[in-house]
Amino acid sequence: MVGSLSLPAIRNIYKALVGIETIPQDKNNKETIQKLIEHCGVPHDQVTELLFESEIEKPFRHIFLSRWIGKFKKIIDSKDQIKQLQLDVRNISGISNLNCDYVKVEQERVVFTFSHDASSTHWYWQDGGHFPELITIRHPIIIHFHQNGSLLITYPGFTSERGKEQNLEYYDLVSLVLNSIQELTSIDYRPYAIKKVVETLLKRQSARVNFIRIKSGNDQGAVDLQSKSNDLSIENLLPSLMVPYLPKGITEEQVKTALINAINDCDLRYSNLYWKEEEVATKLSYYELGMEFLVTWSRQDPSFDLITPILEFLIFLSQKFESSNSNVLNFFIDEKNSRVFTKGEIASSISVNSKELDKELVGLVSQRILETRYRLRTNKVVLDYENKWTSSLLELRRYFELEDHSSFDGTIPENIEIGFIFPDVQKEVFLES
Amino acid sequence: MFRKKCSLNLKEFFDELVELKNSGEQAKLSADQLEYFNPIDRVKLAKIKKQVERIHALKYSSRKKYRLYKSKKSFDGRRGYLLGLVFERLVQTIFKESLVFSLQPRVLLDTCEIDFFVHIIEPYNVLFSLLASHKRLHGEAKCHARSPEAEWVNLQAGKMVANDTRLGMIFTFHKPAPAPFEFRTAIKDHSRSNPPVQIIPWGPTLINELLDGKSFLKLIQIQSNLAHAGTASMQL
């Protein structure tokens, strides 16, 4: 267990128990905790409690996302029964039973830590070469039931069979635990419509993510497309490769559209997405009970702060797709021409009251689903500026001269009009005022 | 007229964001909106920064031909006065056109003098997690060539507790470098004391980042996180 904790987590535990943060330089994590137990007179239970607490605050490489439906109180009431669960996972991947080690009940979430022993291949370096060694590790599976209905399961995974990951078995483990909890609490699981969200992001060429690998296919076969760089999305890569070989009359844009439609019409097996803002790559796999993210924490430290905005973004969009009331988002999706819309134009197309529309629009902008564009809020001709929609708000933060030679103050927020655009448009969009 | 009636203006949009935030939802601002809340005249800032650097580099000459001041002491006094004056202008440039800050330089209280007393303007402060629970910010300017000291932090924290202010900034100007261990440890300790006092160190590295086009509000948020954690990667 100590092995899976980060150094800052160990430092925090050390500080909580001993009062100082600097841990001895010559000790590794395991020795540090051992020393605490043996020499500092800290009770074993107290150390274990702190270790479990630290463990649940960090996501592992695998994050399984689903949604639970039922009463939150029911989960809290059944926590003692869940804690006594002992699941036989020896035929799946473990070498011991899957037990519940720790339960934490908070106001907005309940966390269960399950774990089992598994045999994993550890690669060690000796005499100029890497050699495999079979070792037994503790494999934790941490389940977060959030009050808002989201269900997060995170686990580190382990290597076996000479480094080949057994991806399929993780889902077997997860489904086994979830089904056992379902029997005790009578809650139900309903996954979010993330697959549809991902397909839409691809279709609209979202500015938020790059698709760096896609495997899509049907009964007859599958196509695996991969981009070498995180900055180059698949839908831009392939058409650009094909440009020299295209017959006359077929444009790159047409090939791009055909490719996206073909991918979406087939079954999307899995996709690798690179989230530009968070600088995190995620491999998405879809299952009956939910979807699994395999997160590559290459440039960032694993933290829920980093992954939560991505999950919230996907959940928000999927809920919007499911909800029949999300007229505003449907308006933008159905609109073929990508252009800037004012609140008035949207209001005239859908039946929603002004206040609700404001709220919906601001929510969509805040979730980075819509983008904003700005222009001066005047009907008069501006002499020293072409009053088109712009993405640069700072461009407008000055004084302008109007046709009647009066001054117009762009530093006052009331003097700036705001428009909305679906963010899949990469280039600057202007609309004639 | 149609446009005015049916369109959403920026103020209404920001008000709606504040309402969204107050209702417990996430309300994120884009980079240009962040910059709009605290715009910075970068040309002016670069010019003043150069002036500070030039004054810093001035050296006393004992040669009669170049001697403007009778003694090194009077030269140092004059240089210190000028440095303070120009550095104050540099800090004022950062806050000057802000929609969330209102700066008052050199505020004299009964017990002490505050270099910069910054009012945090409501209601837009709720959009920034760092400023959401604060009404004022206590700024101290330390324009010394030597590296920052823990003593400065302790002194400022004492003043802040006395004035019931929980958010502060220390503006330093020296060679860009990582924050010294004692300095960042002092900041971290005060942020975890009772009452917690959050001090954000601000140095030439961050001024350079501002000049590179980064948003001030975003930079102080990142710097406050680093200061709270006391990490060694915190640059000044």
Side-chain angles (χ1 to χ4, degrees), chain A residues 121-133:
Chain A
T121 311
H122 170 68
W123 291 81
Y124 66 94
W125 176 262
Q126 195 179 33
D127 301 332
H130 276 102
F131 296 95
E133 181 191 16

Side-chain angles (χ1 to χ4, degrees), chain B residues 40-54 86 90 93-94 173 207-208 210-212:
Chain B
I40 286 164
D41 186 344
R42 291 191 164 78
V43 178
K44 193 175 172 187
L45 187 70
K47 202 173 149 189
I48 300 173
K49 188 188 162 229
K50 207 161 251 179
Q51 283 177 354
V52 179
E53 283 166 348
R54 273 167 55 199
V86 180
L90 187 140
T93 311
I94 296 173
F173 203 95
I207 295 176
N208 289 340
L210 262 189
L211 291 173
D212 287 345

Side-chain angles (χ1 to χ4, degrees), chain A residues 145-329:
Chain A
F145 283 97
H146 288 271
Q147 200 178 9
N148 61 11
S150 63
L151 167 63
L152 277 184
I153 304 170
T154 172
Y155 41 94
F158 52 91
T159 49
S160 62
E161 305 290 329
R162 298 177 68 84
K164 192 179 178 185
E165 286 204 9
Q166 297 175 320
N167 286 331
L168 283 174
E169 294 190 357
Y170 297 138
Y171 178 64
D172 292 345
L173 280 171
V174 167
S175 57
L176 181 72
V177 182
L178 290 183
N179 290 335
S180 306
I181 294 175
Q182 189 178 20
E183 281 171 21
L184 294 172
T185 56
S186 56
I187 56 169
D188 202 6
Y189 303 111
R190 206 175 92 197
Y192 294 107
I194 304 283
K195 200 170 176 182
K196 193 179 175 192
V197 174
V198 172
E199 284 171 358
T200 309
L201 290 174
L202 177 68
K203 194 176 162 189
R204 309 290 293 193
Q205 298 168 43
S206 170
R208 179 102 201 257
V209 287
N210 278 342
F211 284 76
I212 50 177
R213 191 174 178 189
I214 290 172
K215 190 173 181 184
S216 181
N218 55 19
D219 297 342
Q220 291 159 346
V223 181
D224 196 345
L225 299 169
Q226 194 170 356
S227 162
K228 200 175 178 184
S229 163
N230 286 339
D231 301 325
L232 190 58
S233 200
I234 293 285
E235 74 272 13
N236 297 325
L237 170 75
L238 204 62
S240 66
L241 288 175
M242 292 168 77
V243 164
Y245 313 103
L246 291 176
K248 278 183 183 173
I250 299 177
T251 61
E252 191 179 335
E253 204 56 42
Q254 286 172 319
V255 178
K256 195 187 278 187
T257 314
L259 174 73
I260 292 167
N261 288 341
I263 291 171
N264 280 342
D265 286 345
C266 292
D267 181 24
L268 193 63
R269 308 272 168 86
Y270 70 74
S271 44
N272 275 19
L273 272 64
Y274 179 72
W275 299 86
K276 293 180 202 171
E277 202 174 304
E278 288 83 6
E279 295 186 344
V280 164
T282 53
K283 180 183 161 189
L284 275 55
S285 311
Y286 309 97
Y287 299 104
E288 190 190 334
L289 282 178
M291 60 168 305
E292 191 202 58
F293 289 81
L294 176 64
V295 189
T296 313
W297 303 103
S298 53
R299 294 189 195 171
Q300 309 280 1
D301 284 335
S303 101
F304 276 116
D305 291 344
L306 206 64
I307 199 77
T308 308
I310 296 173
L311 299 178
E312 278 177 354
F313 173 74
L314 292 172
I315 291 171
F316 184 84
L317 267 182
S318 79
Q319 283 174 337
K320 287 287 167 195
F321 280 131
E322 289 166 23
S323 156
S324 58
N325 298 325
S326 64
N327 289 332
V328 179
L329 191 62

Side-chain angles (χ1 to χ4, degrees), chain B residues 137-204:
Chain B
L137 184 149
H138 177 142
E140 287 288 331
K142 300 286 178 191
C143 195
H144 302 294
R146 64 178 186 272
S147 65
E149 293 166 10
E151 188 59 32
W152 300 352
V153 178
N154 295 334
L155 209 65
Q156 184 173 351
K159 280 186 191 178
M160 286 168 66
V161 172
N163 298 320
D164 200 24
T165 308
R166 297 285 173 264
L167 185 66
M169 282 184 84
I170 289 189
F171 296 91
T172 60
F173 203 95
H174 46 81
K175 278 183 187 167
F181 175 75
E182 290 80 8
F183 182 71
R184 59 187 156 85
T185 310
I187 291 176
K188 190 185 78 178
D189 288 346
H190 283 293
S191 74
R192 290 166 192 192
S193 63
N194 191 20
V197 172
Q198 207 172 347
I199 297 175
I200 307 163
W202 188 267

Side-chain angles (χ1 to χ4, degrees), chain B residues 84-100:
Chain B
L85 215 61
V86 180
F87 194 55
E88 189 182 300
R89 277 179 54 210
L90 187 140
V91 177
Q92 279 177 350
T93 311
I94 296 173
F95 290 98
K96 198 178 176 188
E97 290 181 55
S98 177
L99 293 180
V100 277

Side-chain angles (χ1 to χ4, degrees), chain A residues 366 377 379 391 394 417, chain B residues 1 3-4 26 28 32:
Chain A
S366 185
R377 196 165 175 247
N379 289 334
S391 61
L394 294 172
E417 185 185 4
Chain B
M1 288 305 274
R3 191 187 289 175
K4 283 204 171 185
Q26 274 200 335
K28 286 180 193 163
D32 54 334

Side-chain angles (χ1 to χ4, degrees), chain B residues 61-68:
Chain B
S61 171
S62 57
R63 286 176 68 185
K64 207 171 184 179
K65 191 179 168 187
Y66 301 108
R67 203 193 298 162
L68 287 171

